[in-house]
Amino acid sequence: MDYKALADILFPHVTQTPEEVEARYPARDLPEGAKVTRMAPSPTGFMHLGNLYGAITDERLAHQSGGVFYLRIEDTDQKREVEGGVEKILEVFSEYGLPFDEGATLDGDNGAYGPYRQRQRAGMYQVFGKWLVEQGKAYPCFCSEEELAAIREKQAAAKENFGYYGKYALHRDLSMEEIEAKLAQSGGVFVLRFRSEGDTERRVKFTDLVKGNMEFPENDQDIVLLKSDGIPTYHFAHVVDDHLMRTTHVVRGEEWLPTLPVHVQLFQAMGWRLPKYIHTAQLMKMDGGSKRKLSKRKDPELALDYYREQGYTVACLKEYLMTLLNSNFEEWRIANPAAPLDAFPFNVKKMGVSGSLFDLDKLIDISKNVVSRLTAEEAYDLLAAWAQRYDTEFAALLTRDPAYSKAILAIGRGGKKPRKDIAVWGEAKAYMDFFFDELFQPEYAWPENATGAAAKQILEAYAGDFALPEDSGAWFDGVKALAASLGYAADMKLYKQNPTEYPGNVGDVSMVLRVAVTGRQNSPDLFEVMKLLGADRVKARFNRAIASL
């Protein structure tokens, strides 16, 4: 077979050489040890935790080493592409503060190693596809869908491995005359297949930076490299692109491990250096006492949109994913509670080998901690932005008087033990509603020792000549005096020593006041609440509560 002649017949329009393409992508001028990583999603419109999980790894590896983190859009499968998919990708990574040094943008490309959209690189893949034909490492295939289905049926009946290989590779050894006849018959349409010399009886040794030393059987499949429209498959495109863009480290989920023999083989066939591979553990969840992989169909929490809609902060989700990515992160965070996330020394050696258990309860705990550390100004800005998107009526109340809303959020914030009432912004309305008369819906659950007539007596006595004292100490002294005047124990120690001598204690009296003002038993510091509401609104709430009794 004259492979050079075959290559010219199959690719008459391809005049560039691999050397000419290579010249456009020189070695990067980077410091020693710098890593070049990429995020390479498909524009399907669905961005999930796995995307963010891998992207954090990519970004940290690149930027901690003084390297490059770039975005490549893998849009070779147009059937899966959705309108606005690229915009969605860019929006998500911008929102999560993962800056790309180069890559695809809304306006085109940023960087010298583009194009960064695979369909725009089609000509390059054909140059290397033609070269493989010239080397006798690739060939045209004309199999119809019916022929491929028939092959699969035979393999199923014989209980053999599925695929296009060996005796099932029908067009692997066609003569030049047969190929020309097939081309004439198909109108020049064909797919280009890799001519595998692999043998599943032979083993390949490989070292993954997370999984460690591995062995796997060689690939014997004659996989498709270029589809009938000249667009590459994922396997071929990512090998060509990672080489030309000088990717040093490929981060991807462990579900891609079965394809590793193919990719190793393709790099070897091209004569290119293999990048380092990092296969991250799959995100798992507990389901009925056993672990399973998070599912797009079953688990809404897999989608990043879920966290935006619920109102999780970006910092919270990144912080939680880091606990899954590096086993020593939580220890570091305890020692460095105020340090920015980027200060953490990310280490591939601390990544887990087996499935990472995604625990929503733990995420909520971390979220409460993250939200509690925000300033009132930061909390207001984030909450208002979330509400304007997901609860416009609440947003209107929040933004009507920003200073008032910030004062609400400032109660109990700061200090060594800040309040942790809010985990996600979706909970903020229920937490803050009693501060807004439009939302105030009291549930008068009086304390056991001060119900009915007793609660009414307390409220009438307190509300009669109500005036808010200057400080909380003076206010509580007044509450204790009120308790004593009504026969309640003003001293908790005395009450505990002789509980039967009193109808209740100062805590019961204080709780009656809290329920009347806030409509609930659990609320922030009551003096701060009343000070913010103002004397007139507080007295009106006392009167409303009295009327209900």
Side-chain angles (χ1 to χ4, degrees), residues 371-404:
V371 171
S372 73
R373 292 197 297 264
L374 297 173
T375 66
E377 185 86 25
E378 290 169 334
Y380 171 78
D381 290 343
L382 291 171
L383 173 57
W386 176 86
Q388 284 168 350
R389 184 165 186 167
Y390 295 105
D391 190 339
T392 54
E393 291 184 4
F394 184 43
L397 294 176
L398 281 172
T399 58
R400 179 175 62 193
D401 184 350
Y404 178 69

PDB file of all heavy atoms in Angstrom, residues 371-404:
ATOM      1  N   VAL A 371     -20.734  32.367  56.146  1.00  0.00           N
ATOM      2  CA  VAL A 371     -21.653  33.509  56.196  1.00  0.00           C
ATOM      3  C   VAL A 371     -21.448  34.303  57.487  1.00  0.00           C
ATOM      4  O   VAL A 371     -21.504  35.540  57.479  1.00  0.00           O
ATOM      5  CB  VAL A 371     -23.117  33.040  56.071  1.00  0.00           C
ATOM      6  CG1 VAL A 371     -24.088  34.189  56.336  1.00  0.00           C
ATOM      7  CG2 VAL A 371     -23.366  32.461  54.682  1.00  0.00           C
ATOM      8  N   SER A 372     -21.182  33.624  58.591  1.00  0.00           N
ATOM      9  CA  SER A 372     -21.011  34.323  59.875  1.00  0.00           C
ATOM     10  C   SER A 372     -19.756  35.190  59.875  1.00  0.00           C
ATOM     11  O   SER A 372     -19.670  36.155  60.647  1.00  0.00           O
ATOM     12  CB  SER A 372     -20.951  33.323  61.032  1.00  0.00           C
ATOM     13  OG  SER A 372     -19.718  32.618  61.048  1.00  0.00           O
ATOM     14  N   ARG A 373     -18.770  34.856  59.033  1.00  0.00           N
ATOM     15  CA  ARG A 373     -17.527  35.636  58.992  1.00  0.00           C
ATOM     16  C   ARG A 373     -17.624  36.851  58.071  1.00  0.00           C
ATOM     17  O   ARG A 373     -16.723  37.693  58.051  1.00  0.00           O
ATOM     18  CB  ARG A 373     -16.362  34.749  58.538  1.00  0.00           C
ATOM     19  CG  ARG A 373     -15.966  33.673  59.530  1.00  0.00           C
ATOM     20  CD  ARG A 373     -14.583  33.122  59.234  1.00  0.00           C
ATOM     21  NE  ARG A 373     -14.492  32.470  57.944  1.00  0.00           N
ATOM     22  CZ  ARG A 373     -14.613  31.157  57.751  1.00  0.00           C
ATOM     23  NH1 ARG A 373     -14.855  30.363  58.788  1.00  0.00           N
ATOM     24  NH2 ARG A 373     -14.494  30.639  56.549  1.00  0.00           N
ATOM     25  N   LEU A 374     -18.707  36.971  57.322  1.00  0.00           N
ATOM     26  CA  LEU A 374     -18.877  38.119  56.451  1.00  0.00           C
ATOM     27  C   LEU A 374     -19.179  39.368  57.262  1.00  0.00           C
ATOM     28  O   LEU A 374     -19.802  39.288  58.323  1.00  0.00           O
ATOM     29  CB  LEU A 374     -20.044  37.884  55.476  1.00  0.00           C
ATOM     30  CG  LEU A 374     -19.921  36.728  54.480  1.00  0.00           C
ATOM     31  CD1 LEU A 374     -21.243  36.547  53.737  1.00  0.00           C
ATOM     32  CD2 LEU A 374     -18.786  36.960  53.494  1.00  0.00           C
ATOM     33  N   THR A 375     -18.765  40.517  56.773  1.00  0.00           N
ATOM     34  CA  THR A 375     -19.202  41.758  57.398  1.00  0.00           C
ATOM     35  C   THR A 375     -20.664  41.983  57.027  1.00  0.00           C
ATOM     36  O   THR A 375     -21.183  41.383  56.079  1.00  0.00           O
ATOM     37  CB  THR A 375     -18.372  42.950  56.906  1.00  0.00           C
ATOM     38  OG1 THR A 375     -18.629  43.148  55.501  1.00  0.00           O
ATOM     39  CG2 THR A 375     -16.883  42.717  57.128  1.00  0.00           C
ATOM     40  N   ALA A 376     -21.340  42.859  57.769  1.00  0.00           N
ATOM     41  CA  ALA A 376     -22.740  43.164  57.463  1.00  0.00           C
ATOM     42  C   ALA A 376     -22.861  43.728  56.049  1.00  0.00           C
ATOM     43  O   ALA A 376     -23.822  43.427  55.325  1.00  0.00           O
ATOM     44  CB  ALA A 376     -23.295  44.150  58.480  1.00  0.00           C
ATOM     45  N   GLU A 377     -21.885  44.519  55.643  1.00  0.00           N
ATOM     46  CA  GLU A 377     -21.883  45.105  54.300  1.00  0.00           C
ATOM     47  C   GLU A 377     -21.777  44.013  53.241  1.00  0.00           C
ATOM     48  O   GLU A 377     -22.518  43.994  52.251  1.00  0.00           O
ATOM     49  CB  GLU A 377     -20.713  46.076  54.167  1.00  0.00           C
ATOM     50  CG  GLU A 377     -20.669  46.834  52.855  1.00  0.00           C
ATOM     51  CD  GLU A 377     -21.504  48.109  52.876  1.00  0.00           C
ATOM     52  OE1 GLU A 377     -21.723  48.665  53.967  1.00  0.00           O
ATOM     53  OE2 GLU A 377     -21.935  48.507  51.793  1.00  0.00           O
ATOM     54  N   GLU A 378     -20.860  43.068  53.445  1.00  0.00           N
ATOM     55  CA  GLU A 378     -20.677  41.962  52.489  1.00  0.00           C
ATOM     56  C   GLU A 378     -21.928  41.095  52.423  1.00  0.00           C
ATOM     57  O   GLU A 378     -22.374  40.699  51.341  1.00  0.00           O
ATOM     58  CB  GLU A 378     -19.475  41.115  52.897  1.00  0.00           C
ATOM     59  CG  GLU A 378     -18.130  41.797  52.719  1.00  0.00           C
ATOM     60  CD  GLU A 378     -16.989  41.041  53.369  1.00  0.00           C
ATOM     61  OE1 GLU A 378     -17.252  40.283  54.352  1.00  0.00           O
ATOM     62  OE2 GLU A 378     -15.840  41.208  52.935  1.00  0.00           O
ATOM     63  N   ALA A 379     -22.476  40.783  53.603  1.00  0.00           N
ATOM     64  CA  ALA A 379     -23.683  39.951  53.655  1.00  0.00           C
ATOM     65  C   ALA A 379     -24.837  40.636  52.938  1.00  0.00           C
ATOM     66  O   ALA A 379     -25.590  39.986  52.180  1.00  0.00           O
ATOM     67  CB  ALA A 379     -24.060  39.653  55.106  1.00  0.00           C
ATOM     68  N   TYR A 380     -24.995  41.924  53.153  1.00  0.00           N
ATOM     69  CA  TYR A 380     -26.074  42.658  52.487  1.00  0.00           C
ATOM     70  C   TYR A 380     -25.915  42.630  50.972  1.00  0.00           C
ATOM     71  O   TYR A 380     -26.885  42.375  50.241  1.00  0.00           O
ATOM     72  CB  TYR A 380     -26.109  44.106  52.969  1.00  0.00           C
ATOM     73  CG  TYR A 380     -27.049  44.972  52.159  1.00  0.00           C
ATOM     74  CD1 TYR A 380     -28.426  44.913  52.361  1.00  0.00           C
ATOM     75  CD2 TYR A 380     -26.565  45.815  51.152  1.00  0.00           C
ATOM     76  CE1 TYR A 380     -29.299  45.675  51.593  1.00  0.00           C
ATOM     77  CE2 TYR A 380     -27.431  46.576  50.379  1.00  0.00           C
ATOM     78  CZ  TYR A 380     -28.790  46.502  50.600  1.00  0.00           C
ATOM     79  OH  TYR A 380     -29.661  47.249  49.832  1.00  0.00           O
ATOM     80  N   ASP A 381     -24.715  42.894  50.487  1.00  0.00           N
ATOM     81  CA  ASP A 381     -24.491  42.921  49.035  1.00  0.00           C
ATOM     82  C   ASP A 381     -24.818  41.574  48.398  1.00  0.00           C
ATOM     83  O   ASP A 381     -25.478  41.510  47.347  1.00  0.00           O
ATOM     84  CB  ASP A 381     -23.041  43.308  48.729  1.00  0.00           C
ATOM     85  CG  ASP A 381     -22.741  44.767  49.046  1.00  0.00           C
ATOM     86  OD1 ASP A 381     -23.704  45.552  49.185  1.00  0.00           O
ATOM     87  OD2 ASP A 381     -21.547  45.120  49.150  1.00  0.00           O
ATOM     88  N   LEU A 382     -24.363  40.507  49.017  1.00  0.00           N
ATOM     89  CA  LEU A 382     -24.614  39.170  48.468  1.00  0.00           C
ATOM     90  C   LEU A 382     -26.093  38.795  48.561  1.00  0.00           C
ATOM     91  O   LEU A 382     -26.662  38.232  47.614  1.00  0.00           O
ATOM     92  CB  LEU A 382     -23.757  38.138  49.201  1.00  0.00           C
ATOM     93  CG  LEU A 382     -22.245  38.216  48.945  1.00  0.00           C
ATOM     94  CD1 LEU A 382     -21.493  37.299  49.897  1.00  0.00           C
ATOM     95  CD2 LEU A 382     -21.920  37.851  47.496  1.00  0.00           C
ATOM     96  N   LEU A 383     -26.711  39.098  49.705  1.00  0.00           N
ATOM     97  CA  LEU A 383     -28.126  38.769  49.894  1.00  0.00           C
ATOM     98  C   LEU A 383     -28.999  39.569  48.934  1.00  0.00           C
ATOM     99  O   LEU A 383     -29.920  39.013  48.319  1.00  0.00           O
ATOM    100  CB  LEU A 383     -28.537  39.042  51.337  1.00  0.00           C
ATOM    101  CG  LEU A 383     -30.030  38.904  51.661  1.00  0.00           C
ATOM    102  CD1 LEU A 383     -30.533  37.515  51.304  1.00  0.00           C
ATOM    103  CD2 LEU A 383     -30.284  39.220  53.139  1.00  0.00           C
ATOM    104  N   ALA A 384     -28.734  40.853  48.805  1.00  0.00           N
ATOM    105  CA  ALA A 384     -29.539  41.691  47.913  1.00  0.00           C
ATOM    106  C   ALA A 384     -29.428  41.215  46.478  1.00  0.00           C
ATOM    107  O   ALA A 384     -30.425  41.160  45.741  1.00  0.00           O
ATOM    108  CB  ALA A 384     -29.113  43.147  48.038  1.00  0.00           C
ATOM    109  N   ALA A 385     -28.216  40.851  46.052  1.00  0.00           N
ATOM    110  CA  ALA A 385     -28.018  40.355  44.677  1.00  0.00           C
ATOM    111  C   ALA A 385     -28.783  39.062  44.466  1.00  0.00           C
ATOM    112  O   ALA A 385     -29.416  38.856  43.419  1.00  0.00           O
ATOM    113  CB  ALA A 385     -26.529  40.152  44.415  1.00  0.00           C
ATOM    114  N   TRP A 386     -28.740  38.158  45.458  1.00  0.00           N
ATOM    115  CA  TRP A 386     -29.479  36.898  45.341  1.00  0.00           C
ATOM    116  C   TRP A 386     -30.984  37.166  45.284  1.00  0.00           C
ATOM    117  O   TRP A 386     -31.701  36.611  44.446  1.00  0.00           O
ATOM    118  CB  TRP A 386     -29.162  35.985  46.523  1.00  0.00           C
ATOM    119  CG  TRP A 386     -29.958  34.715  46.507  1.00  0.00           C
ATOM    120  CD1 TRP A 386     -29.660  33.562  45.855  1.00  0.00           C
ATOM    121  CD2 TRP A 386     -31.234  34.502  47.137  1.00  0.00           C
ATOM    122  NE1 TRP A 386     -30.656  32.634  46.043  1.00  0.00           N
ATOM    123  CE2 TRP A 386     -31.638  33.177  46.821  1.00  0.00           C
ATOM    124  CE3 TRP A 386     -32.058  35.290  47.932  1.00  0.00           C
ATOM    125  CZ2 TRP A 386     -32.831  32.638  47.281  1.00  0.00           C
ATOM    126  CZ3 TRP A 386     -33.250  34.753  48.397  1.00  0.00           C
ATOM    127  CH2 TRP A 386     -33.621  33.439  48.074  1.00  0.00           C
ATOM    128  N   ALA A 387     -31.487  38.023  46.185  1.00  0.00           N
ATOM    129  CA  ALA A 387     -32.926  38.297  46.256  1.00  0.00           C
ATOM    130  C   ALA A 387     -33.440  38.974  44.989  1.00  0.00           C
ATOM    131  O   ALA A 387     -34.553  38.693  44.531  1.00  0.00           O
ATOM    132  CB  ALA A 387     -33.230  39.157  47.481  1.00  0.00           C
ATOM    133  N   GLN A 388     -32.654  39.839  44.405  1.00  0.00           N
ATOM    134  CA  GLN A 388     -33.079  40.495  43.173  1.00  0.00           C
ATOM    135  C   GLN A 388     -33.273  39.500  42.035  1.00  0.00           C
ATOM    136  O   GLN A 388     -34.049  39.743  41.113  1.00  0.00           O
ATOM    137  CB  GLN A 388     -32.056  41.570  42.786  1.00  0.00           C
ATOM    138  CG  GLN A 388     -32.182  42.823  43.642  1.00  0.00           C
ATOM    139  CD  GLN A 388     -31.020  43.777  43.483  1.00  0.00           C
ATOM    140  OE1 GLN A 388     -29.998  43.447  42.870  1.00  0.00           O
ATOM    141  NE2 GLN A 388     -31.159  44.979  44.035  1.00  0.00           N
ATOM    142  N   ARG A 389     -32.610  38.367  42.152  1.00  0.00           N
ATOM    143  CA  ARG A 389     -32.740  37.333  41.116  1.00  0.00           C
ATOM    144  C   ARG A 389     -33.831  36.319  41.448  1.00  0.00           C
ATOM    145  O   ARG A 389     -34.524  35.844  40.550  1.00  0.00           O
ATOM    146  CB  ARG A 389     -31.392  36.619  40.951  1.00  0.00           C
ATOM    147  CG  ARG A 389     -31.379  35.591  39.841  1.00  0.00           C
ATOM    148  CD  ARG A 389     -29.975  35.185  39.491  1.00  0.00           C
ATOM    149  NE  ARG A 389     -29.940  34.313  38.325  1.00  0.00           N
ATOM    150  CZ  ARG A 389     -28.840  34.007  37.661  1.00  0.00           C
ATOM    151  NH1 ARG A 389     -27.694  34.520  38.013  1.00  0.00           N
ATOM    152  NH2 ARG A 389     -28.892  33.191  36.621  1.00  0.00           N
ATOM    153  N   TYR A 390     -33.996  36.002  42.724  1.00  0.00           N
ATOM    154  CA  TYR A 390     -34.867  34.885  43.086  1.00  0.00           C
ATOM    155  C   TYR A 390     -36.076  35.266  43.963  1.00  0.00           C
ATOM    156  O   TYR A 390     -36.956  34.432  44.153  1.00  0.00           O
ATOM    157  CB  TYR A 390     -34.052  33.795  43.800  1.00  0.00           C
ATOM    158  CG  TYR A 390     -33.020  33.162  42.903  1.00  0.00           C
ATOM    159  CD1 TYR A 390     -31.675  33.468  43.030  1.00  0.00           C
ATOM    160  CD2 TYR A 390     -33.400  32.267  41.901  1.00  0.00           C
ATOM    161  CE1 TYR A 390     -30.716  32.893  42.197  1.00  0.00           C
ATOM    162  CE2 TYR A 390     -32.455  31.688  41.064  1.00  0.00           C
ATOM    163  CZ  TYR A 390     -31.118  32.006  41.217  1.00  0.00           C
ATOM    164  OH  TYR A 390     -30.189  31.443  40.380  1.00  0.00           O
ATOM    165  N   ASP A 391     -36.103  36.466  44.525  1.00  0.00           N
ATOM    166  CA  ASP A 391     -37.235  36.890  45.354  1.00  0.00           C
ATOM    167  C   ASP A 391     -37.335  38.408  45.272  1.00  0.00           C
ATOM    168  O   ASP A 391     -36.877  39.122  46.168  1.00  0.00           O
ATOM    169  CB  ASP A 391     -37.045  36.418  46.801  1.00  0.00           C
ATOM    170  CG  ASP A 391     -38.300  36.621  47.657  1.00  0.00           C
ATOM    171  OD1 ASP A 391     -39.152  37.449  47.279  1.00  0.00           O
ATOM    172  OD2 ASP A 391     -38.406  35.975  48.722  1.00  0.00           O
ATOM    173  N   THR A 392     -37.941  38.891  44.219  1.00  0.00           N
ATOM    174  CA  THR A 392     -37.943  40.332  43.959  1.00  0.00           C
ATOM    175  C   THR A 392     -38.710  41.126  45.018  1.00  0.00           C
ATOM    176  O   THR A 392     -38.360  42.269  45.312  1.00  0.00           O
ATOM    177  CB  THR A 392     -38.530  40.626  42.566  1.00  0.00           C
ATOM    178  OG1 THR A 392     -39.827  40.013  42.462  1.00  0.00           O
ATOM    179  CG2 THR A 392     -37.619  40.079  41.480  1.00  0.00           C
ATOM    180  N   GLU A 393     -39.770  40.527  45.591  1.00  0.00           N
ATOM    181  CA  GLU A 393     -40.529  41.239  46.635  1.00  0.00           C
ATOM    182  C   GLU A 393     -39.662  41.452  47.877  1.00  0.00           C
ATOM    183  O   GLU A 393     -39.668  42.535  48.480  1.00  0.00           O
ATOM    184  CB  GLU A 393     -41.791  40.456  46.982  1.00  0.00           C
ATOM    185  CG  GLU A 393     -42.835  40.445  45.869  1.00  0.00           C
ATOM    186  CD  GLU A 393     -44.108  39.729  46.299  1.00  0.00           C
ATOM    187  OE1 GLU A 393     -44.193  39.311  47.476  1.00  0.00           O
ATOM    188  OE2 GLU A 393     -45.014  39.596  45.456  1.00  0.00           O
ATOM    189  N   PHE A 394     -38.933  40.433  48.260  1.00  0.00           N
ATOM    190  CA  PHE A 394     -38.027  40.559  49.400  1.00  0.00           C
ATOM    191  C   PHE A 394     -36.903  41.539  49.071  1.00  0.00           C
ATOM    192  O   PHE A 394     -36.484  42.338  49.920  1.00  0.00           O
ATOM    193  CB  PHE A 394     -37.464  39.191  49.777  1.00  0.00           C
ATOM    194  CG  PHE A 394     -36.594  39.180  51.003  1.00  0.00           C
ATOM    195  CD1 PHE A 394     -36.953  39.896  52.134  1.00  0.00           C
ATOM    196  CD2 PHE A 394     -35.420  38.462  51.025  1.00  0.00           C
ATOM    197  CE1 PHE A 394     -36.149  39.885  53.279  1.00  0.00           C
ATOM    198  CE2 PHE A 394     -34.614  38.435  52.150  1.00  0.00           C
ATOM    199  CZ  PHE A 394     -34.978  39.158  53.272  1.00  0.00           C
ATOM    200  N   ALA A 395     -36.413  41.496  47.838  1.00  0.00           N
ATOM    201  CA  ALA A 395     -35.357  42.422  47.419  1.00  0.00           C
ATOM    202  C   ALA A 395     -35.812  43.862  47.560  1.00  0.00           C
ATOM    203  O   ALA A 395     -35.040  44.738  47.975  1.00  0.00           O
ATOM    204  CB  ALA A 395     -34.950  42.128  45.982  1.00  0.00           C
ATOM    205  N   ALA A 396     -37.074  44.125  47.210  1.00  0.00           N
ATOM    206  CA  ALA A 396     -37.594  45.493  47.316  1.00  0.00           C
ATOM    207  C   ALA A 396     -37.571  45.970  48.766  1.00  0.00           C
ATOM    208  O   ALA A 396     -37.250  47.135  49.050  1.00  0.00           O
ATOM    209  CB  ALA A 396     -39.012  45.551  46.755  1.00  0.00           C
ATOM    210  N   LEU A 397     -37.907  45.087  49.712  1.00  0.00           N
ATOM    211  CA  LEU A 397     -37.867  45.449  51.130  1.00  0.00           C
ATOM    212  C   LEU A 397     -36.428  45.666  51.601  1.00  0.00           C
ATOM    213  O   LEU A 397     -36.139  46.619  52.342  1.00  0.00           O
ATOM    214  CB  LEU A 397     -38.532  44.361  51.970  1.00  0.00           C
ATOM    215  CG  LEU A 397     -40.035  44.149  51.774  1.00  0.00           C
ATOM    216  CD1 LEU A 397     -40.516  42.971  52.615  1.00  0.00           C
ATOM    217  CD2 LEU A 397     -40.809  45.417  52.147  1.00  0.00           C
ATOM    218  N   LEU A 398     -35.539  44.791  51.180  1.00  0.00           N
ATOM    219  CA  LEU A 398     -34.141  44.892  51.597  1.00  0.00           C
ATOM    220  C   LEU A 398     -33.496  46.193  51.133  1.00  0.00           C
ATOM    221  O   LEU A 398     -32.777  46.856  51.890  1.00  0.00           O
ATOM    222  CB  LEU A 398     -33.330  43.729  51.012  1.00  0.00           C
ATOM    223  CG  LEU A 398     -33.415  42.368  51.679  1.00  0.00           C
ATOM    224  CD1 LEU A 398     -32.692  41.336  50.831  1.00  0.00           C
ATOM    225  CD2 LEU A 398     -32.789  42.409  53.073  1.00  0.00           C
ATOM    226  N   THR A 399     -33.760  46.529  49.876  1.00  0.00           N
ATOM    227  CA  THR A 399     -33.076  47.671  49.273  1.00  0.00           C
ATOM    228  C   THR A 399     -33.795  48.997  49.503  1.00  0.00           C
ATOM    229  O   THR A 399     -33.268  50.043  49.145  1.00  0.00           O
ATOM    230  CB  THR A 399     -32.893  47.434  47.756  1.00  0.00           C
ATOM    231  OG1 THR A 399     -34.185  47.225  47.151  1.00  0.00           O
ATOM    232  CG2 THR A 399     -32.022  46.214  47.505  1.00  0.00           C
ATOM    233  N   ARG A 400     -34.978  48.940  50.106  1.00  0.00           N
ATOM    234  CA  ARG A 400     -35.724  50.164  50.394  1.00  0.00           C
ATOM    235  C   ARG A 400     -34.937  51.062  51.353  1.00  0.00           C
ATOM    236  O   ARG A 400     -34.914  52.287  51.211  1.00  0.00           O
ATOM    237  CB  ARG A 400     -37.082  49.794  51.000  1.00  0.00           C
ATOM    238  CG  ARG A 400     -37.965  50.970  51.368  1.00  0.00           C
ATOM    239  CD  ARG A 400     -39.320  50.460  51.847  1.00  0.00           C
ATOM    240  NE  ARG A 400     -39.223  49.630  53.051  1.00  0.00           N
ATOM    241  CZ  ARG A 400     -40.205  48.869  53.518  1.00  0.00           C
ATOM    242  NH1 ARG A 400     -41.362  48.813  52.877  1.00  0.00           N
ATOM    243  NH2 ARG A 400     -40.041  48.156  54.613  1.00  0.00           N
ATOM    244  N   ASP A 401     -34.301  50.443  52.317  1.00  0.00           N
ATOM    245  CA  ASP A 401     -33.483  51.180  53.277  1.00  0.00           C
ATOM    246  C   ASP A 401     -32.247  50.319  53.568  1.00  0.00           C
ATOM    247  O   ASP A 401     -32.216  49.564  54.545  1.00  0.00           O
ATOM    248  CB  ASP A 401     -34.273  51.443  54.559  1.00  0.00           C
ATOM    249  CG  ASP A 401     -33.508  52.303  55.562  1.00  0.00           C
ATOM    250  OD1 ASP A 401     -32.303  52.541  55.344  1.00  0.00           O
ATOM    251  OD2 ASP A 401     -34.118  52.729  56.551  1.00  0.00           O
ATOM    252  N   PRO A 402     -31.220  50.421  52.725  1.00  0.00           N
ATOM    253  CA  PRO A 402     -30.032  49.572  52.886  1.00  0.00           C
ATOM    254  C   PRO A 402     -29.398  49.663  54.266  1.00  0.00           C
ATOM    255  O   PRO A 402     -28.948  48.651  54.807  1.00  0.00           O
ATOM    256  CB  PRO A 402     -29.084  50.093  51.800  1.00  0.00           C
ATOM    257  CG  PRO A 402     -29.980  50.670  50.758  1.00  0.00           C
ATOM    258  CD  PRO A 402     -31.118  51.272  51.517  1.00  0.00           C
ATOM    259  N   ALA A 403     -29.370  50.856  54.846  1.00  0.00           N
ATOM    260  CA  ALA A 403     -28.753  51.009  56.169  1.00  0.00           C
ATOM    261  C   ALA A 403     -29.500  50.184  57.213  1.00  0.00           C
ATOM    262  O   ALA A 403     -28.888  49.565  58.100  1.00  0.00           O
ATOM    263  CB  ALA A 403     -28.735  52.486  56.568  1.00  0.00           C
ATOM    264  N   TYR A 404     -30.828  50.163  57.123  1.00  0.00           N
ATOM    265  CA  TYR A 404     -31.647  49.376  58.052  1.00  0.00           C
ATOM    266  C   TYR A 404     -31.368  47.884  57.861  1.00  0.00           C
ATOM    267  O   TYR A 404     -31.169  47.144  58.840  1.00  0.00           O
ATOM    268  CB  TYR A 404     -33.122  49.690  57.813  1.00  0.00           C
ATOM    269  CG  TYR A 404     -34.091  48.899  58.668  1.00  0.00           C
ATOM    270  CD1 TYR A 404     -34.182  49.127  60.033  1.00  0.00           C
ATOM    271  CD2 TYR A 404     -34.930  47.941  58.089  1.00  0.00           C
ATOM    272  CE1 TYR A 404     -35.078  48.406  60.821  1.00  0.00           C
ATOM    273  CE2 TYR A 404     -35.822  47.219  58.860  1.00  0.00           C
ATOM    274  CZ  TYR A 404     -35.896  47.448  60.230  1.00  0.00           C
ATOM    275  OH  TYR A 404     -36.772  46.739  61.004  1.00  0.00           O
TER     276      TYR A 404
END
